């Protein structure tokens, strides 16, 4: 997601219906296939504040990042004026939407998100999501679910562009998640990779645990391949990854000021379900 999002021509709309139309055009521009956007969008404006924004994205197809023409969703001009506001109440629902080849069911509620309206020297209007602060925190909740059988394809679609930069092609990725407790999951991964003429399967697994203080600990990390050459190639990566064994990553301190995760839960059945609550 770009820092600044293009919303047509300046000045900013003063009516929620006009803002909804501009958001619809943005969503069409963000989808490489340029399909018709059937999402339900409702907005209420109160001066520079967005009093309410409801998005029902059921059926929407979001393409991969590298497929997008960023000039269609980002302003090209330089900022010449800005106006501060607040997105007081954001509701996003999808049952489901398509993201990187996966059916994602989503319910998101956020309150108190800072926004900045920006006019550019090219006559454009852009909006920028500002940073919350300790004095003006963001509150809300999230529930997201993805069919487990589709999770590997979705992660692969996101990881492939990064791996290709290093000359590695990921042709297959199967993920299996096992919920040990609501805050502990065991992750198993089987992948088929290729680098040049060398191709083989690789296997990995790890246990991820989130504690009461929102700290993430990885344990029992394994990474290997049945192919001796690929296993040797993975040896350096395995050493670095296994160096994370037992380390605690404080998720709370990694978040910007004004965003605090109060609780997170994971469940695995046919779907992988993640629920989180912001304090």
């Amino acid at each position: 997601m770009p820092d600044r999002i293009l919303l047509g021509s300046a000045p900013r709309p003063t009516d929620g219906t006009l803002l909804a139309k501009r958001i619809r055009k943005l969503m069409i521009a963000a989808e490489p296939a340029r399909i018709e956007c059937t999402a339900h969008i409702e907005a209420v404006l109160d001066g520079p504040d967005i009093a309410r924004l409801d998005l029902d994205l059921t059926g929407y197809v979001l393409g991969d990042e590298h497929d997008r023409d960023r000039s269609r969703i980002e302003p090209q001009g330089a900022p010449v004026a800005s106006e501060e506001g607040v997105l007081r109440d954001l509701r996003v629902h999808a049952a489901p939407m398509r993201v990187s080849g996966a059916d994602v069911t989503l319910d998101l509620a956020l309150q108190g998100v800072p926004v900045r309206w920006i006019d550019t020297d090219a006559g454009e209007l852009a909006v920028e999501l500002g940073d919350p602060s300790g004095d003006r925190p963001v509150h809300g909740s999230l529930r997201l679910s993805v069919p487990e059988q589709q999770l590997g394809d979705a992660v692969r679609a996101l990881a492939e562009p990064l791996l290709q930069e290093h000359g590695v092609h990921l042709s297959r990725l199967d993920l299996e998640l096992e919920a040990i407790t609501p805050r502990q999951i065991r992750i198993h991964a089987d992948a088929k990779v290729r680098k040049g003429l060398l191709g083989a399967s690789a296997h990995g697994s790890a246990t991820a645990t989130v504690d009461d203080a929102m700290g993430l600990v990885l344990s029992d990390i394994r990474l290997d391949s049945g192919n001796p050459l690929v296993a040797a190639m993975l040896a350096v990566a395995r050493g670095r990854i296994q160096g994370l064994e037992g380390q605690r990553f404080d998720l709370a301190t990694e978040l910007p000021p004004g965003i605090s995760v109060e609780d997170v839960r994971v469940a695995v059945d046919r779907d992988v379900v993640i629920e989180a609550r912001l304090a």
Side-chain angles (χ1 to χ4, degrees):
M1 178 65 69
D3 294 333
R4 293 171 180 165
I5 305 169
L6 181 63
L7 283 180
S9 302
R12 68 166 176 82
T14 57
D15 176 81
T17 301
L18 296 178
L19 176 60
K21 289 180 178 179
R22 295 195 183 201
I23 293 174
R24 185 176 302 279
K25 289 182 179 180
L26 168 69
M27 293 174 62
I28 294 172
E31 165 49 47
R34 309 286 185 257
I35 64 172
E36 180 183 0
C37 175
T38 58
H40 172 76
I41 306 170
E42 186 175 344
V44 177
L45 286 175
D46 183 10
D49 289 353
I50 304 174
R52 180 169 54 85
L53 178 58
D54 292 338
L55 304 175
D56 188 330
L57 305 183
T58 300
Y60 182 64
V61 179
L62 183 63
D64 295 334
E65 181 73 19
H66 66 277
D67 288 334
R68 296 182 197 139
D69 180 357
R70 297 182 72 87
S71 67
R72 294 175 58 90
I73 59 176
E74 295 182 19
Q76 303 302 298
V80 294
S82 66
E83 187 177 19
E84 304 293 331
V86 177
L87 175 48
R88 298 180 195 163
D89 188 9
L90 170 66
R91 307 280 171 161
V92 182
H93 172 74
M97 64 184 292
R98 193 79 171 169
V99 180
S100 298
D103 294 318
V104 177
T105 299
L106 173 68
D107 280 291
L108 172 69
L110 293 177
Q111 295 87 41
V113 181
V115 297
R116 180 178 297 110
W117 305 97
I118 299 171
D119 294 354
T120 77
D121 58 7
E124 303 160 310
L125 172 72
V127 67
E128 179 180 81
L129 298 182
D131 295 325
S133 65
D135 296 332
R136 302 182 68 179
V138 170
H139 304 279
S141 62
L142 164 73
R143 188 183 191 277
L144 181 149
S145 68
V146 182
E148 185 182 12
Q149 64 181 13
Q150 297 179 359
L151 192 58
D153 290 339
V155 173
R156 188 185 75 183
L158 295 172
E160 275 184 331
L162 300 175
L163 294 173
Q164 287 172 359
E165 294 177 2
H166 299 281
V168 177
H169 176 66
L170 180 62
S171 59
R172 179 178 59 83
L173 176 62
D174 295 324
L175 289 180
E176 181 180 342
L177 277 68
E178 176 188 1
I180 302 172
T181 72
R183 288 192 178 177
Q184 185 178 65
I185 60 172
R186 182 68 182 165
I187 306 165
H188 302 271
D190 287 300
K192 188 169 184 179
V193 298
R194 178 174 296 277
K195 185 175 177 64
L197 298 177
L198 180 63
S201 297
H203 316 283
S205 61
T207 297
T209 305
V210 178
D211 61 29
D212 290 339
M214 293 296 108
L216 174 66
V217 178
L218 297 177
S219 60
D220 196 15
I221 302 173
R222 301 177 184 178
L223 180 64
D224 209 343
S225 173
N227 185 306
L229 293 177
V230 174
M233 188 174 67
L234 291 173
V236 174
R238 182 170 59 246
R240 292 176 179 174
I241 292 173
Q242 290 181 334
L244 301 175
E245 180 90 28
Q247 289 190 31
R248 182 181 183 276
F249 300 90
D250 194 336
L251 302 180
T253 59
E254 292 295 325
L255 296 172
I259 299 181
S260 176
V261 178
E262 189 174 79
D263 192 21
V264 61
R265 302 276 169 173
V266 178
V268 181
D269 191 1
R270 286 179 296 181
D271 294 343
V272 179
V273 181
I274 301 173
E275 295 182 285
R277 186 171 66 253
L278 301 182

